[in-house]
Amino acid sequence: MQKSKKVQTAVNHIQKRFAPGYSPVLGITLGSGLGSFVDMFSSALWLDFEDIPGFPRSTVKGHTGRLGIVRHGQTDCLVLQGRNHLYEGYSPDEVCFATRVLAGLGVNTIILTNAAGALNPLFEVRGIMLITDHVNLMGTNPLVGANVDAWGPRFPDMTEVYCPVLRDKVLDVALDVGVRLEQGVYVGVHGPCLETPAETRAYRLLGGDAIGMSTVMEAIAAHHMGVKVIGLSCLTNKNLPDCMAQTSHDAILEQANRTANNLTNVLQAIIVSGMFAS
């Protein structure tokens, strides 16, 4: 089935579950270990990825794999509790499938969160970085192949993938809830192995401030479809090439869980701010 038709099939399936008057304006993708954010919702309808036509299953620990249809205050949101990655063996189109479905469901802004390693030596573990730009070192691109003209142009401009207007507003609302955000460039790599000291040194020389294995594919796909993007990285470990400490996925999840409270406070402030209203 043509990829645009697969996305539309999923959109139609999900829309049937919408309550009367429900009109989502915001999509949120939760990264590794950050799923506790959903505990703030008093009511939500959850759909497992495997029950939605075309949705790839999430196979990674820390990614539940479900879509939440949420009304929080006056804001209608769609929340992805988990995502898919290239290192799981998925194609770029499969990795971006959920993002494109959110766009098809009408969201005008998407918040992409992730757990990332800090490359900038001034950044501390358990901090949160607001993404200003990215470097795509994943070896592929979700726009490869025939362009879907209804989604966006063949050669999209990438000058402002992460909306600068929304970034300024996010900084303000984060300070209002007592959370200081770092700002910097996210380096996206294929994975699944973590970085060597030599690679870490190279990524820093390229201008990277944090590194991870997600977000970039989804950001490109969302931007291509005209959706505004906000990126937030929870810094779970520090990559210092001259004194690299060994780490593991379980350790990264543990640090992400410790950061989840601050992330939840920031996300809640963003939702109630109304900055993404259509």
Side-chain angles (χ1 to χ4, degrees):
M1 187 186 299
Q2 188 180 20
K3 60 184 178 182
S4 60
K5 291 182 178 179
K6 288 181 66 175
V7 168
Q8 190 58 48
T9 298
V11 167
N12 294 342
H13 177 86
I14 296 165
Q15 281 178 329
K16 293 176 182 177
R17 310 300 297 273
F18 284 0
Y22 182 87
S23 182
V25 294
L26 176 67
I28 302 172
T29 299
L30 299 174
S32 297
L34 304 175
S36 61
F37 164 70
V38 303
D39 296 338
M40 66 177 278
F41 299 124
S42 57
S43 62
L45 175 64
W46 292 98
L47 307 177
D48 290 338
F49 285 176
E50 61 191 47
D51 295 331
I52 303 172
F55 256 69
R57 295 187 180 187
S58 183
T59 67
V60 181
K61 184 178 180 181
H63 290 262
T64 303
R66 58 180 186 162
L67 168 69
I69 301 171
V70 177
R71 175 167 285 161
H72 186 65
Q74 302 300 312
T75 302
D76 292 343
C77 312
L78 294 168
V79 179
L80 294 169
Q81 191 177 11
R83 56 153 55 93
N84 304 105
H85 306 79
L86 293 174
Y87 64 73
E88 295 174 76
Y90 289 120
S91 69
D93 280 337
E94 289 171 320
V95 168
C96 296
F97 185 83
T99 300
R100 286 168 169 155
V101 168
L102 293 188
L105 289 166
V107 305
N108 58 47
T109 303
I110 188 166
I111 302 173
L112 301 172
T113 74
N114 59 60
L119 295 171
N120 190 322
L122 300 180
F123 291 178
E124 295 298 328
V125 172
R126 294 168 63 179
I128 300 175
M129 185 186 85
L130 179 64
I131 300 175
T132 60
D133 203 349
H134 71 236
V135 178
N136 180 12
L137 294 179
M138 292 183 154
T140 188
N141 189 298
L143 306 185
V144 170
N147 187 57
V148 179
D149 293 336
W151 288 351
R154 168 77 281 188
F155 301 105
D157 180 82
M158 300 293 285
T159 307
E160 295 181 344
V161 176
Y162 302 89
C163 179
V165 174
L166 292 182
R167 290 205 316 264
D168 288 342
K169 293 180 179 180
V170 169
L171 289 170
D172 289 340
V173 298
L175 284 177
D176 287 342
V177 294
V179 179
R180 178 183 177 276
L181 301 181
E182 306 289 359
Q183 296 187 75
V185 175
Y186 178 88
V187 178
V189 294
H190 190 290
C193 55
L194 302 177
E195 302 76 45
T196 69
E199 289 168 343
T200 296
R201 195 174 289 110
Y203 298 144
R204 182 63 182 147
L205 287 172
L206 287 173
D209 294 294
I211 188 166
M213 304 171 192
S214 68
T215 302
V216 169
M217 295 290 104
E218 297 140 297
I220 293 171
H223 183 67
H224 178 240
M225 296 181 77
V227 176
K228 298 182 182 70
V229 179
I230 298 168
L232 292 167
S233 295
C234 291
L235 305 175
T236 56
N237 58 292
K238 204 163 184 175
N239 292 25
L240 299 176
D242 296 318
C243 53
M244 290 281 280
Q246 292 190 9
T247 189
S248 66
H249 186 63
D250 285 340
I252 289 170
L253 289 179
E254 181 181 352
Q255 289 293 353
N257 286 328
R258 291 177 179 176
T259 313
N261 284 340
N262 279 345
L263 178 69
T264 294
N265 290 338
V266 172
L267 291 176
Q268 183 167 15
I270 292 171
I271 292 171
V272 301
S273 72
M275 67 176 68
F276 39 76
S278 57

